[in-house]
Amino acid sequence: MNKSSKIYVAGHNGLVGSAIIRKLESKGYQNIVKRTSQELDLRKQAAVEYFFENEKPEYVFLAAAKVGGILANAKNPGEFLYDNVMIQTNIIEASKNFGVKKLLFLGSTCIYPKMAPQPLKEEYLLTGELEPTNEPYAIAKITGIKMCKSYNEQYGTNFISVMPTNLYGPNDNFDLKTSHVLPALLRKVHEAKLNNSPYVEVWGTGHPFREFLHVDDMADACVYLMENYSYKEIGEIINIGTGEEISIKDLVDLIVSVVNYRGDIKFDPLKPDGTPRKLTDIQKLNKLNWKSRISLKKGIEETYEWYIREKKYE
Ligand SMILES: NC(=O)c1ccc[n+]([C@@H]2O[C@H](COP(=O)([O-])OP(=O)(O)OC[C@H]3O[C@@H](n4cnc5c(N)ncnc54)[C@H](OP(=O)(O)O)[C@@H]3O)[C@@H](O)[C@H]2O)c1
């Protein structure tokens, strides 16, 4: 990629897409193409083909997707499967047809089997059953991975697939019906503080372990891989994470201290926990000389400041 290359960031308003835009702009890339879902519904094949034919992007970051937490996935499995398969299929096919030099497909660590050994190595893909609560979403993502791989093999494209761990940061989704665990907890604890609530209820036991990566670190890794490594060097997939894990209980404690909430936390063990442990093995990424830089505490502090500022809370 050079600074005047035409780069299409699909999903530029989202958590990941907006961080990729910030990173590209900060590095001096000047020719970035964006479309909202209102302007271009990526589920519509003819519209996507027309867009690629006219814009002819040279590089594509595929960060558009239908994304959500356990509740949203459980309520809308058909939508999660359909939207994601359509969005990624249309973009990957059009990228092949209109000569895109390199594409980066955003997957997720939910593609790994529920009971895979930890930490999760790239080679564990398709070695066991998936976590049932997000199986349709994971199947869509696995389809995207296999499509990139198959197109590289059949058509000689250079499409890479990255599997980021749980992300958080500015522009995250704080809607309690559809959000992931970290922004949901941040909001719940913040509102409990504002309302002087005596306690906050948290789904599950608090025992599962999770890994969290600041989205600016993740964007840095994506741009780094696009600039420096090809599909042949990366292989089918590559994890992006910190390699460090924290229990949900300890995460809640960290959030409580950042927000400065004085009430109690009540865990509801009748609600689902999801996968017991999810930590990425990041040896492959480390060998390509990339490491995350933003600590979880600093990242949560920054995200909380952003949330208060953007949501116009006191
Ligand atoms: N968040 C995480 O923790 C996480 C972790 C690992 C991997 N990822 C991956 O990163 C990618 C992006 O996730 P995110 O968290 O950034 O999601 P997000 O904040 O919900 O953003 C998704 C973006 O996709 C766009 N989009 C959705 N449906 C569309 C459609 N039909 N047509 C056009 N655009 C559409 C939306 O555009 P508009 O805003 O214009 O509607 C939105 O900007 C996903 O592939 C996800 O699997 C995320």
Side-chain angles (χ1 to χ4, degrees), residues 176 181 184-192 197-206 248 252 256 261 263-271:
L176 292 179
V181 60
L185 288 172
L186 202 51
R187 176 172 177 170
K188 276 175 133 181
V189 173
H190 175 66
E191 288 182 351
S197 306
Y199 67 89
V200 173
E201 203 174 271
V202 177
W203 272 36
T205 60
I248 296 296
V252 173
V256 163
Y261 173 62
D264 289 333
I265 300 295
K266 284 189 186 171
F267 288 94
D268 180 356
L270 297 177
K271 294 280 184 355

Side-chain angles (χ1 to χ4, degrees), residues 165 211-214 240-245 279-280 282 292 294:
T165 188
E211 175 188 14
F212 297 94
L213 177 71
H214 194 285
I240 304 182
T242 63
E244 289 167 18
E245 62 188 338
L279 176 66
T280 54
I282 50 165
S292 63
I294 305 170

Side-chain angles (χ1 to χ4, degrees), residues 157-222:
T157 48
N158 189 11
F159 297 168
I160 63 176
S161 297
V162 300
M163 303 303 122
T165 188
N166 298 299
L167 303 171
Y168 70 98
N171 286 325
D172 210 341
N173 171 12
F174 286 86
D175 176 344
L176 292 179
K177 288 199 194 80
T178 51
S179 57
H180 287 123
V181 60
L182 194 151
L185 288 172
L186 202 51
R187 176 172 177 170
K188 276 175 133 181
V189 173
H190 175 66
E191 288 182 351
K193 178 182 148 184
L194 289 189
N195 299 331
N196 290 316
S197 306
Y199 67 89
V200 173
E201 203 174 271
V202 177
W203 272 36
T205 60
H207 297 152
F209 283 84
R210 290 290 182 275
E211 175 188 14
F212 297 94
L213 177 71
H214 194 285
V215 72
D216 287 343
D217 267 342
M218 132 87 201
D220 188 68
C222 289

Side-chain angles (χ1 to χ4, degrees), residues 37-96:
S37 58
Q38 297 288 312
E39 294 162 338
L40 174 62
D41 183 344
L42 293 165
R43 293 170 302 184
K44 310 286 182 211
Q45 186 183 12
V48 175
E49 291 271 324
Y50 182 82
F51 166 75
F52 272 76
E53 190 172 6
N54 282 283
E55 288 292 345
K56 299 230 169 42
E58 296 169 85
Y59 296 88
V60 173
F61 288 85
L62 207 179
K66 173 99 191 152
V67 176
I70 298 176
L71 196 62
N73 270 275
K75 281 197 165 161
N76 315 294
E79 213 175 316
F80 274 83
L81 186 50
Y82 176 80
D83 282 19
N84 286 307
V85 166
M86 293 307 285
I87 290 170
Q88 70 204 28
T89 300
N90 289 338
I91 292 185
I92 293 169
E93 170 70 9
S95 295
K96 181 263 285 178

Side-chain angles (χ1 to χ4, degrees), residues 1 9 12 14-27 29 61 63 104 106 160 162 164-170 213-228 240-241 285 290-294:
M1 287 197 301
V9 179
H12 70 281
L15 172 67
V16 170
S18 61
I20 289 173
I21 297 272
R22 283 197 298 279
K23 177 50 70 180
L24 289 171
E25 287 178 348
S26 76
K27 295 192 86 171
Y29 289 96
F61 288 85
L104 180 141
L106 263 301
I160 63 176
V162 300
T165 188
N166 298 299
L167 303 171
Y168 70 98
L213 177 71
H214 194 285
V215 72
D216 287 343
D217 267 342
M218 132 87 201
D220 188 68
C222 289
V223 173
Y224 177 76
L225 292 174
M226 280 292 261
E227 285 175 334
N228 296 299
I240 304 182
L285 188 60
W290 189 91
K291 276 201 170 77
S292 63
R293 297 192 193 99
I294 305 170

